[in-house]
Amino acid sequence: MLYPMFALMLLTLGVAIYLLTLRTLAVRRREVSMSYFRLYHSAEPPPAKLIAASRHYDNLFQVPVLFYLACITSLVLGVQGPLALAWGFVALRLIHTLIHLSYNNVLHRFLAFMASNLLLIAIWVTLAMQYSARGGW
């Protein structure tokens, strides 16, 4: 379960670098001023690509937190984690990222998001069943 966590962390880091690049370019091109980043508000809205990347980066600290928690719980309890499900979750989050930061089709993005959430539920159910089978309850 450690490797899928590491992979998701690398994805998050990649999005952070992408976001930093977009913000730097937007300031250099005078699409936003530096003061925009004080409150993330200005009379002129920032480029749509910048907004999407910012929202996506925020999203990587929402549902994936439950994934990290499941992985750590698996490691701490010594329960064999559902590794295939974990890699599936990471793959779907990567697909979600690629959709959101490229052509941004809402239906495609939603399907990837929901599929990853279903895998996350399956991860937690599997962990609970394995822990219960060991007499953990």
Side-chain angles (χ1 to χ4, degrees), residues 73-74 77 79 121 123-137:
T73 299
S74 170
L77 295 177
V79 175
I121 291 168
I123 290 168
W124 276 104
V125 168
T126 303
L127 286 175
M129 289 177 11
Q130 288 178 355
Y131 185 66
S132 179
R134 280 188 20 195
W137 297 108

Short mmCIF file of all heavy atoms in Angstrom, two decimals, residues 73-74 77 79 121 123-137:
data_model
loop_
_atom_site.label_atom_id
_atom_site.label_comp_id
_atom_site.label_asym_id
_atom_site.label_seq_id
_atom_site.Cartn_x
_atom_site.Cartn_y
_atom_site.Cartn_z
N THR A 73 -3.87 2.97 7.60
CA THR A 73 -4.59 2.05 8.49
C THR A 73 -4.19 0.62 8.17
O THR A 73 -3.95 -0.18 9.08
CB THR A 73 -6.12 2.24 8.34
OG1 THR A 73 -6.44 3.58 8.70
CG2 THR A 73 -6.88 1.27 9.20
N SER A 74 -4.12 0.29 6.91
CA SER A 74 -3.71 -1.05 6.49
C SER A 74 -2.31 -1.38 7.01
O SER A 74 -2.07 -2.47 7.54
CB SER A 74 -3.73 -1.14 4.96
OG SER A 74 -3.14 -2.32 4.51
N LEU A 77 -2.32 -1.57 11.06
CA LEU A 77 -3.00 -2.75 11.59
C LEU A 77 -2.39 -4.06 11.09
O LEU A 77 -2.76 -5.13 11.57
CB LEU A 77 -4.49 -2.72 11.25
CG LEU A 77 -5.30 -1.59 11.87
CD1 LEU A 77 -6.74 -1.65 11.39
CD2 LEU A 77 -5.23 -1.65 13.39
N VAL A 79 -2.87 -5.32 8.24
CA VAL A 79 -3.86 -5.98 7.41
C VAL A 79 -3.38 -5.91 5.97
O VAL A 79 -2.95 -4.85 5.52
CB VAL A 79 -5.24 -5.30 7.57
CG1 VAL A 79 -6.25 -5.92 6.62
CG2 VAL A 79 -5.72 -5.37 9.00
N ILE A 121 -14.38 3.19 -1.61
CA ILE A 121 -15.32 2.49 -0.73
C ILE A 121 -14.96 1.01 -0.66
O ILE A 121 -14.94 0.41 0.43
CB ILE A 121 -16.77 2.69 -1.23
CG1 ILE A 121 -17.20 4.14 -1.03
CG2 ILE A 121 -17.73 1.74 -0.51
CD1 ILE A 121 -18.48 4.52 -1.75
N ILE A 123 -12.06 -0.32 -1.04
CA ILE A 123 -10.83 -0.45 -0.24
C ILE A 123 -11.19 -0.49 1.24
O ILE A 123 -10.72 -1.36 1.98
CB ILE A 123 -9.85 0.71 -0.54
CG1 ILE A 123 -9.26 0.57 -1.94
CG2 ILE A 123 -8.75 0.80 0.52
CD1 ILE A 123 -8.51 1.79 -2.44
N TRP A 124 -12.02 0.44 1.68
CA TRP A 124 -12.41 0.49 3.09
C TRP A 124 -13.20 -0.75 3.51
O TRP A 124 -12.99 -1.30 4.60
CB TRP A 124 -13.19 1.76 3.40
CG TRP A 124 -12.27 2.92 3.66
CD1 TRP A 124 -11.97 3.94 2.82
CD2 TRP A 124 -11.50 3.14 4.84
NE1 TRP A 124 -11.07 4.79 3.41
CE2 TRP A 124 -10.76 4.33 4.66
CE3 TRP A 124 -11.36 2.46 6.05
CZ2 TRP A 124 -9.90 4.85 5.62
CZ3 TRP A 124 -10.50 2.98 7.01
CH2 TRP A 124 -9.78 4.16 6.79
N VAL A 125 -14.10 -1.21 2.65
CA VAL A 125 -14.88 -2.42 2.97
C VAL A 125 -13.95 -3.63 3.08
O VAL A 125 -14.07 -4.44 4.01
CB VAL A 125 -15.99 -2.65 1.91
CG1 VAL A 125 -16.61 -4.04 2.04
CG2 VAL A 125 -17.06 -1.56 2.03
N THR A 126 -13.02 -3.75 2.15
CA THR A 126 -12.06 -4.85 2.18
C THR A 126 -11.21 -4.81 3.44
O THR A 126 -11.00 -5.84 4.09
CB THR A 126 -11.17 -4.82 0.92
OG1 THR A 126 -12.00 -4.87 -0.23
CG2 THR A 126 -10.20 -5.98 0.91
N LEU A 127 -10.74 -3.63 3.80
CA LEU A 127 -9.95 -3.51 5.04
C LEU A 127 -10.77 -3.91 6.26
O LEU A 127 -10.27 -4.63 7.14
CB LEU A 127 -9.44 -2.07 5.21
CG LEU A 127 -8.31 -1.63 4.31
CD1 LEU A 127 -8.01 -0.15 4.53
CD2 LEU A 127 -7.08 -2.47 4.55
N ALA A 128 -12.00 -3.47 6.32
CA ALA A 128 -12.86 -3.81 7.46
C ALA A 128 -13.12 -5.31 7.52
O ALA A 128 -13.07 -5.91 8.61
CB ALA A 128 -14.19 -3.05 7.36
N MET A 129 -13.36 -5.92 6.37
CA MET A 129 -13.60 -7.37 6.35
C MET A 129 -12.35 -8.15 6.75
O MET A 129 -12.45 -9.11 7.52
CB MET A 129 -14.09 -7.79 4.96
CG MET A 129 -15.49 -7.33 4.66
SD MET A 129 -16.17 -7.69 3.00
CE MET A 129 -15.08 -8.80 2.26
N GLN A 130 -11.21 -7.74 6.28
CA GLN A 130 -9.96 -8.43 6.62
C GLN A 130 -9.65 -8.26 8.11
O GLN A 130 -9.24 -9.20 8.78
CB GLN A 130 -8.81 -7.91 5.78
CG GLN A 130 -8.87 -8.35 4.34
CD GLN A 130 -7.74 -7.78 3.51
OE1 GLN A 130 -6.94 -6.97 3.98
NE2 GLN A 130 -7.68 -8.19 2.25
N TYR A 131 -9.86 -7.08 8.62
CA TYR A 131 -9.60 -6.83 10.04
C TYR A 131 -10.57 -7.63 10.90
O TYR A 131 -10.19 -8.23 11.89
CB TYR A 131 -9.72 -5.33 10.34
CG TYR A 131 -9.35 -4.97 11.75
CD1 TYR A 131 -8.05 -5.13 12.19
CD2 TYR A 131 -10.29 -4.46 12.62
CE1 TYR A 131 -7.70 -4.80 13.50
CE2 TYR A 131 -9.96 -4.11 13.92
CZ TYR A 131 -8.65 -4.29 14.35
OH TYR A 131 -8.32 -3.96 15.63
N SER A 132 -11.82 -7.68 10.49
CA SER A 132 -12.83 -8.45 11.21
C SER A 132 -12.52 -9.93 11.18
O SER A 132 -12.68 -10.63 12.20
CB SER A 132 -14.20 -8.18 10.61
OG SER A 132 -15.19 -8.93 11.27
N ALA A 133 -12.07 -10.44 10.05
CA ALA A 133 -11.74 -11.87 9.92
C ALA A 133 -10.57 -12.26 10.82
O ALA A 133 -10.49 -13.41 11.25
CB ALA A 133 -11.42 -12.19 8.46
N ARG A 134 -9.72 -11.31 11.11
CA ARG A 134 -8.60 -11.56 12.03
C ARG A 134 -9.03 -11.51 13.49
O ARG A 134 -8.22 -11.66 14.38
CB ARG A 134 -7.51 -10.53 11.82
CG ARG A 134 -6.62 -10.79 10.66
CD ARG A 134 -5.44 -9.85 10.60
NE ARG A 134 -5.12 -9.21 11.87
CZ ARG A 134 -4.34 -8.15 12.01
NH1 ARG A 134 -3.82 -7.60 10.95
NH2 ARG A 134 -4.09 -7.63 13.17
N GLY A 135 -10.30 -11.22 13.72
CA GLY A 135 -10.77 -11.09 15.09
C GLY A 135 -10.57 -9.70 15.67
O GLY A 135 -10.53 -9.52 16.89
N GLY A 136 -10.43 -8.73 14.80
CA GLY A 136 -10.15 -7.37 15.23
C GLY A 136 -11.33 -6.63 15.83
O GLY A 136 -11.17 -5.58 16.41
N TRP A 137 -12.55 -7.12 15.64
CA TRP A 137 -13.71 -6.40 16.16
C TRP A 137 -14.01 -6.88 17.53
O TRP A 137 -14.44 -7.48 18.19
CB TRP A 137 -14.93 -6.55 15.26
CG TRP A 137 -14.70 -5.97 13.90
CD1 TRP A 137 -14.55 -6.66 12.75
CD2 TRP A 137 -14.59 -4.59 13.52
NE1 TRP A 137 -14.34 -5.83 11.70
CE2 TRP A 137 -14.36 -4.55 12.14
CE3 TRP A 137 -14.63 -3.39 14.22
CZ2 TRP A 137 -14.21 -3.36 11.44
CZ3 TRP A 137 -14.47 -2.22 13.51
CH2 TRP A 137 -14.26 -2.20 12.15
#
